[in-house]
Amino acid sequence: MSFRTTGSTSTNSSTDGTAGVAYVEDVSPGSGALAPRAWYASSTARCLSLNGSWRFRLSPTADAEDDSFAAEGYDAGDWAEVTVPGHWVLQGEGAFGSPIYTNHLYPFPVDPPRVPTENPTGDHLRVFDLPADWPALSDGGAVLRFDGVESCARVWLNGTELGEFKGSRLAHEFAVGDLLRTEDNVLAVRVHQWSAGSYLEDQDQWWLPGIFRDVTLLHRPAGAVRDHFVHASYDHLTGEGTLRVDSDVAGRVTVPALDIDVATGETVTVPVAPWTAETPRLYDGVLATEGERVPLRIGFRTVELADGLIKVNGRPVLFKGVNRHEWHPRRGRALDLETMREDVLLMKRHNVNAVRTSHYPPHPAFLDLCDTYGLWVIDECDLETHGFVEQDWRDNPVDDDRWTPALLDRAARMVERDKNHPSVVIWSLGNEAGTGRGLTAMAEWIHARDTSRLVHYEGDWNCRDTDMYSRMYASHEEVDRIGRALDGGTGRRRSLPFLLCEYAHAMGNGPGGLADYQRIFEAHDRVQGGFVWEWIDHGIEHPTLGHAYGGDFGEELHDGNFVCDGLLLPDRTPSPGLTEFKKVIEPVAVEGCGDGTVRVTNKQDFAGLEELAFTWSFEADGETVAAGSLPVPALAAGESAQVKLPQPPPDVPADAETAWTVRAVLSGDTAWAAAGHVVAWGRVPVAARPAPSVAATVGPVAEGGLITLGPAAFDARTGALRAVGHVAVTGLRLDVWRAVTDNDDGTAWGSGVRYSTLWRELGLHRMRHRLDAVELGDDALTVRTRVAPAARDLGLSTVYTWRSDGDRLQLTVSVTPEGDWTVPLPRLGVRFGLAEADAVTWFGGGPGEAYPDSRTASTVGRWQSTVDRMQTPYVRPQENGARADVRWAELGGLRVEGDPEFWFTARRWTTEQLDAARHRTDLTPGDTVWVNLDHGQHGLGSQSCGPGPLPQYVLRAAPSTFSFVFTATG
């Protein structure tokens, strides 16, 4: 490919270097683009992808270079190259600037619609030939399509300016048929990072300029379809679907599976299977006109507001959703089809049934995937003016008539592009933009254009412009009040269904409280679920930091790692939060009835259990000793049945802890998972384990500087444990500190409580241990201490009592708070170090981490791992890796049993090192493995942006006694 253009036609734009950039600060949506239309891939008309390597030049300002680069004959041979789709700041190894992350802060002075003189501007050039089999240039026309450019673009083809546009996550097309030639077509695109449109795109994400979605040339033969609208409703009373396809060009619509052959605009009603997220039945059809055949993927479904509820096909739905920004750790928002498919498959495999496309329409291929695999979609407009709302600034564009044409253009480009997707059931006006006349105009236009869907907008608490009452991060208590219709507000609001469009902020370790929210959702019809914030951490791959976040690129203003708040880690590894969410929202419930039976409930809204098979297993001390299939009757959505379990195996030891586990698994392969995939499970305890105990048959003996007690050795002066048998032990003592989580660092909405601040101000991260006494009794070694922070008159009186039967060693820890403890504890337990440890085996909760308000997915069993695999690699290091309900654990030649069950953590760095790290690369494994055996852990909550832990998960300082039995193994 040559990058020297040819020919003599010159650009029609100014080339003086300063004129012709006023459009950048114009509040209008642009000029020259065609009216928006439905997105589809023609089965007959040719298309040419212009993705790939483009020549690229970066300028510091919008007017630093003239327009001559768009003229024919311009030599771009010395320009750099970038990949389209892509963001230039993620290419060139830093040569093209850096990403900027802000949540609601605009990273430039706010003076709408003005933008800074320092406005990075990327000139892009692509020279292309038409394929040999491209239709004759006299045969019809052609359209040049841009699916996404941030934030403002000006376009030329073969020296002629086509126009300019704003609306970064929206499609724009230009008619180019009369400009094309068979060879050496010169496509020039000037992209500005900042424009008036930037004021409408303050969306809690990285600011990433560039042509980040596809660029395509589409042949439009004579008689081709320009736009079409598929209307496909379903009558749940008759089981019939009604189809009408409107088209700007007359033609015929055929659907072979339904024996449909009708003219465009003609209505036909036939028996059909409806489309739902649980049963995504699509019918293949064709819209045929004189010049083109357009494939149709038709899903029959009816969305309505009825009886105060959102109903689809006559039934209310419960949204078990996620908010999804488009993200890839190397390519930013330039996603390929397989990455999008991976997202959808992960959602389906984790029982997610809905997506809110925060905060812009996604790549159109993503909606095709939602149609195919089955996900409810709230399609959100490319609009957010968060900084104006947060700072109460003047001239919020959504209440300024000058901006209304741009808002209406954005609404129309979303609706027209996506209107034929059955998965899209709700249109959203945007996010966190306050209220205003522009939003009202958008809502009125959408309601008039598409009566088959509902309209959402969270900022409209009076529900003037919306069909539902939507909130974000409302507390459990408030959601319960809303469900009980005790929330007040306007009469219209009280008559509408309620959604949490954002809740359970999944930042770092968390979110906590998911199960508590779900119980409220299922208790009140009016509360129709919510959407967890959000799907994926937006970490950027970095050569030295692992994954970078805000501030790692030297930004003047940034919001730190607030951009890493997803259920997936940046590399798309599911976090423990996603595992928890899968369990909390599972579509089948299994509960023990206490009489040898279980109650199985189909919690789906539409589907039966036809795709599922049920199995049982009987476990003794965490190991399966018998298993089989469990016959479960056919249950329609919402139905339950009591199912008898088989007789327990006869040869199980009488003192074993036993339980049943019933699993619902896929009975065969589906489009989104293979046979055997576990969809839901329930554990039914049968017999509890006997508590471990040690009969004190030997006493402590002091000799030389050591005290021996059974297999253990202690320091005679301090009473500190030195070894259990052959296993050296370091620094065993009470521990109350944890490396604060992102949620600990957040301020709980409505309370002003920031736990990390309370803990640090009190000094819980620097507790001092005073030795009061080392006492040798006839059958016990007692060490009395006081654990307290400097400069405070409170503390924890802590007594360690050691006993042994000669082979085993038992530690009993008694903790008594002294003083006025108004602040909860991060944790309560003991910590110690082992010199050598790698493999870990435990009987308790697993396989992954769990915390008091995030433990639903933790299932009791016998698990194996390594110390390194027990860590959860959160982008910003923090407390992680605890296993819940541990009966016993073995590592480094030591076995530990607990009474009661304990929280178990092991890592190759101290809590203090973990607390100090900003990135995972800051953590250097040491020679010592530090083990925490915790009696209690403070809950997680989601107060990085939401409520804190519920009261029952707050770890209060209170008198406590707990014990551990240590045995050397091997």
Side-chain angles (χ1 to χ4, degrees):
M1 177 187 297
S2 169
F3 285 91
R4 177 183 291 276
T5 61
T6 59
S8 59
T9 304
S10 64
T11 179
N12 65 357
S13 303
S14 169
T15 59
D16 64 4
T18 58
V21 296
Y23 65 90
V24 174
E25 295 180 337
D26 191 333
V27 299
S28 73
S31 64
L34 297 170
R37 65 179 180 91
W39 185 88
Y40 66 90
S42 174
S43 61
T44 53
R46 287 298 311 274
C47 70
L48 175 65
S49 172
L50 298 178
N51 296 343
S53 180
W54 290 48
R55 288 291 184 175
F56 177 76
R57 175 183 66 185
L58 183 64
S59 304
T61 66
D63 59 359
E65 300 285 350
D66 61 26
D67 304 340
S68 61
F69 82 102
E72 308 212 52
Y74 187 87
D75 186 356
D78 61 347
W79 285 21
E81 294 186 39
V82 294
T83 298
V84 171
H87 306 277
W88 69 67
V89 293
L90 296 183
Q91 303 183 59
E93 297 183 345
F96 306 139
S98 301
I100 301 170
Y101 167 61
T102 61
N103 171 24
H104 59 78
L105 300 171
Y106 288 93
F108 50 80
V110 176
D111 184 22
R114 306 297 303 277
V115 295
T117 300
E118 296 83 3
N119 188 356
T121 295
D123 291 332
H124 299 70
L125 273 178
R126 172 74 189 252
V127 179
F128 65 93
D129 300 334
L130 295 179
D133 58 351
W134 191 268
L137 296 180
S138 59
D139 179 9
V143 166
L144 179 65
R145 181 180 181 90
F146 295 88
D147 278 307
V149 182
E150 183 175 332
S151 73
C152 173
R154 187 178 177 191
V155 186
W156 297 261
L157 181 64
N158 292 330
T160 297
E161 182 174 355
L162 304 179
E164 90 285 336
F165 61 89
K166 307 176 189 75
S168 298
R169 270 65 70 174
L170 300 162
H172 295 81
E173 293 181 331
F174 297 91
V176 296
D178 58 344
L179 299 176
L180 284 175
R181 54 189 178 223
T182 57
E183 295 182 340
D184 292 328
N185 290 280
V186 181
L187 177 56
V189 185
R190 171 162 285 173
V191 180
H192 307 281
Q193 175 155 21
W194 310 120
S195 70
S198 301
Y199 284 99
L200 304 180
E201 296 171 3
D202 187 23
Q203 293 153 321
D204 186 11
Q205 60 183 337
W206 294 97
W207 299 87
L208 299 173
I211 305 172
F212 68 94
R213 286 186 185 159
D214 305 297
V215 182
T216 313
L217 182 69
L218 305 168
H219 179 239
R220 307 310 301 136
V225 175
R226 210 205 88 72
D227 193 17
H228 67 288
F229 196 162
V230 177
H231 305 272
S233 61
Y234 178 73
D235 186 331
H236 65 282
L237 298 177
T238 65
E240 294 178 319
T242 298
L243 176 67
R244 186 184 82 246
V245 179
D246 295 332
S247 171
D248 64 312
V249 176
R252 296 199 68 79
V253 175
T254 56
V255 186
L258 298 175
D259 198 25
I260 289 176
D261 184 349
V262 296
T264 53
E266 183 177 335
T267 298
V268 59
T269 299
V270 294
V272 298
W275 188 97
T276 74
E278 296 167 6
T279 56
R281 179 66 166 94
L282 292 172
Y283 292 92
D284 291 328
V286 173
L287 165 58
T289 67
E290 178 184 351
E292 185 176 24
R293 289 172 62 85
V294 175
L296 305 176
R297 302 172 76 240
I298 304 166
F300 291 89
R301 55 107 185 94
T302 295
V303 184
E304 61 181 338
L305 186 63
D307 306 317
L309 299 174
I310 301 167
K311 292 187 176 182
V312 179
N313 302 338
R315 297 187 184 186
V317 296
L318 184 61
F319 294 102
K320 304 171 182 179
V322 295
N323 286 273
R324 175 188 176 268
H325 269 294
E326 294 180 305
W327 189 251
H328 189 281
R330 293 188 304 278
R331 300 191 296 271
R333 287 186 285 278
L335 293 193
D336 61 282
L337 179 62
E338 286 312 306
T339 298
M340 290 184 269
R341 189 189 313 278
E342 183 181 355
D343 278 348
V344 171
L345 293 177
L346 280 169
M347 290 176 189
K348 293 293 290 186
R349 291 167 185 164
H350 287 86
N351 297 328
V352 171
N353 73 357
V355 178
R356 175 177 174 233
T357 69
S358 53
H359 296 293
Y360 44 81
H363 190 291
F366 179 77
L367 297 179
D368 279 344
L369 295 168
C370 295
D371 295 342
T372 299
Y373 294 101
L375 289 168
W376 308 116
V377 175
I378 296 182
D379 199 357
E380 190 148 273
C381 196
D382 190 9
L383 172 62
E384 181 169 336
T385 63
H386 195 170
F388 288 87
V389 180
E390 198 77 18
Q391 307 297 331
D392 196 25
W393 285 323
R394 60 180 171 82
D395 298 333
N396 188 339
V398 302
D399 199 29
D400 183 334
D401 290 339
R402 295 176 300 164
W403 295 81
T404 299
L407 302 184
L408 289 172
D409 179 77
R410 288 173 182 245
R413 291 190 180 279
M414 171 182 69
V415 171
E416 300 295 1
R417 192 197 74 168
D418 298 341
K419 59 182 178 260
N420 294 330
H421 289 283
S423 58
V424 177
V425 292
I426 297 172
W427 302 115
S428 179
L429 303 181
N431 185 68
E432 291 180 312
T435 57
R437 291 162 289 176
L439 288 163
T440 298
M442 293 171 69
E444 290 175 348
W445 185 90
I446 293 174
H447 275 121
R449 175 59 175 145
D450 181 17
T451 60
S452 70
R453 295 177 174 92
L454 306 180
V455 171
H456 164 273
Y457 179 64
E458 179 272 338
D460 181 15
W461 286 16
N462 289 327
C463 302
R464 177 183 64 182
D465 300 325
T466 68
D467 297 314
M468 61 206 70
Y469 177 30
S470 176
R471 291 281 301 283
M472 54 176 65
Y473 306 110
S475 68
H476 298 80
E477 179 185 8
E478 184 178 6
V479 174
D480 187 58
R481 288 201 311 271
I482 291 170
R484 298 176 188 275
L486 301 175
D487 57 305
T490 62
R492 171 168 168 75
R493 186 174 93 183
R494 293 196 304 273
S495 69
L496 293 177
F498 177 75
L499 276 184
L500 273 173
C501 68
E502 295 179 21
Y503 81 112
H505 197 252
M507 185 176 179
N509 190 344
L514 283 169
D516 305 276
Y517 270 118
Q518 195 65 26
R519 281 190 287 269
I520 297 170
F521 297 165
E522 295 176 4
H524 305 298
D525 291 342
R526 182 192 182 194
V527 180
Q528 293 196 252
F531 296 77
V532 170
W533 186 269
E534 67 160 298
W535 178 238
I536 187 170
D537 286 345
H538 297 195
I540 294 176
E541 283 191 8
H542 192 281
T544 60
L545 299 177
H547 285 103
Y549 49 78
D552 288 333
F553 298 97
E555 301 101 304
E556 181 180 50
L557 291 173
H558 65 86
D559 284 297
N561 69 312
F562 200 69
V563 76
C564 295
D565 46 13
L567 294 168
L568 296 182
L569 302 180
D571 63 359
R572 283 184 161 73
T573 298
S575 75
L578 182 56
T579 303
E580 175 78 357
F581 192 44
K582 174 187 176 180
K583 174 61 179 170
V584 165
I585 61 174
E586 60 189 7
V588 178
V590 178
E591 302 167 295
C593 299
D595 57 356
T597 66
V598 293
R599 178 164 294 280
V600 177
T601 302
N602 181 357
K603 300 172 72 172
Q604 298 179 103
D605 295 322
F606 298 92
L609 302 181
E610 293 82 6
E611 290 190 334
L612 300 179
F614 289 81
T615 66
W616 61 266
S617 61
F618 189 82
E619 295 107 26
D621 290 334
E623 294 190 322
T624 298
V625 295
S629 61
L630 184 68
V632 173
L635 297 175
E639 290 185 342
S640 297
Q642 199 160 326
V643 180
K644 186 172 180 58
L645 293 166
Q647 290 296 314
D651 52 352
V652 175
D655 61 349
E657 178 179 352
T658 56
W660 298 96
T661 298
V662 174
R663 296 176 177 85
V665 303
L666 291 179
S667 57
D669 293 345
T670 69
W672 49 271
H677 168 79
V678 178
V679 173
W681 58 269
R683 183 175 186 270
V684 182
V686 178
R689 68 171 183 137
S693 63
V694 170
T697 59
V698 299
V701 177
E703 183 177 354
L706 290 178
I707 298 172
T708 58
L709 177 61
F714 300 82
D715 185 283
R717 182 178 63 84
T718 64
L721 179 66
R722 296 299 184 216
V724 178
H726 62 279
V727 180
V729 178
T730 303
L732 188 149
R733 63 184 187 178
L734 190 78
D735 192 18
V736 299
W737 183 244
R738 74 183 185 193
V740 295
T741 68
D742 289 314
N743 289 310
D744 295 337
D745 267 338
T747 301
W749 285 34
S751 73
V753 172
R754 186 189 298 268
Y755 286 109
S756 65
T757 300
L758 294 178
W759 293 340
R760 292 188 195 277
E761 287 179 348
L762 188 59
L764 299 186
H765 61 308
R766 49 176 175 79
M767 300 289 272
R768 302 298 179 91
H769 298 251
R770 186 185 75 201
L771 177 62
D772 289 339
V774 177
E775 302 171 353
L776 280 70
D778 291 339
D779 62 355
L781 170 65
T782 302
V783 181
R784 302 185 185 276
T785 68
R786 187 175 190 269
V787 182
R792 300 290 177 179
D793 65 347
L794 50 68
L796 300 170
S797 174
T798 306
V799 179
Y800 307 90
T801 303
W802 300 91
R803 294 182 174 87
S804 177
D805 61 5
D807 296 316
R808 297 180 300 161
L809 179 71
Q810 182 171 28
L811 165 65
T812 300
V813 183
S814 298
V815 180
T816 304
E818 298 176 345
D820 186 13
W821 281 87
T822 60
V823 174
L825 298 174
R827 73 180 340 135
L828 180 67
V830 297
R831 178 176 72 170
F832 59 89
L834 298 177
E836 295 182 5
D838 184 23
V840 184
T841 302
W842 74 96
F843 174 28
E849 75 181 25
Y851 288 83
D853 52 353
S854 181
R855 63 191 298 175
T856 311
S858 177
T859 182
V860 174
R862 193 173 296 197
W863 306 101
Q864 292 183 334
S865 185
T866 65
V867 170
D868 292 339
R869 291 207 313 268
M870 290 184 71
Q871 316 310 307
T872 301
Y874 294 113
V875 175
R876 185 190 74 79
Q878 55 199 274
E879 166 62 35
N880 73 91
R883 269 54 178 182
D885 304 312
V886 175
R887 283 78 163 143
W888 57 258
E890 292 183 359
L891 75 165
L894 192 67
R895 178 184 175 98
V896 184
E897 300 171 79
D899 181 21
E901 291 84 10
F902 56 96
W903 305 86
F904 169 59
T905 311
R907 54 177 67 102
R908 298 187 188 278
W909 36 76
T910 65
T911 297
E912 291 74 21
Q913 291 168 328
L914 184 62
D915 195 33
R918 291 186 65 249
H919 295 88
R920 297 198 308 275
T921 51
D922 295 334
L923 294 169
T924 302
D927 295 330
T928 301
V929 169
W930 293 97
V931 179
N932 278 90
L933 313 175
D934 290 319
H935 178 62
Q937 275 269 358
H938 185 69
L940 300 173
S942 64
Q943 67 187 60
S944 50
C945 186
L950 288 169
Q952 61 266 35
Y953 306 123
V954 173
L955 182 60
R956 300 294 180 188
S960 303
T961 300
F962 48 95
S963 68
F964 303 101
V965 175
F966 299 90
T967 309
T969 63

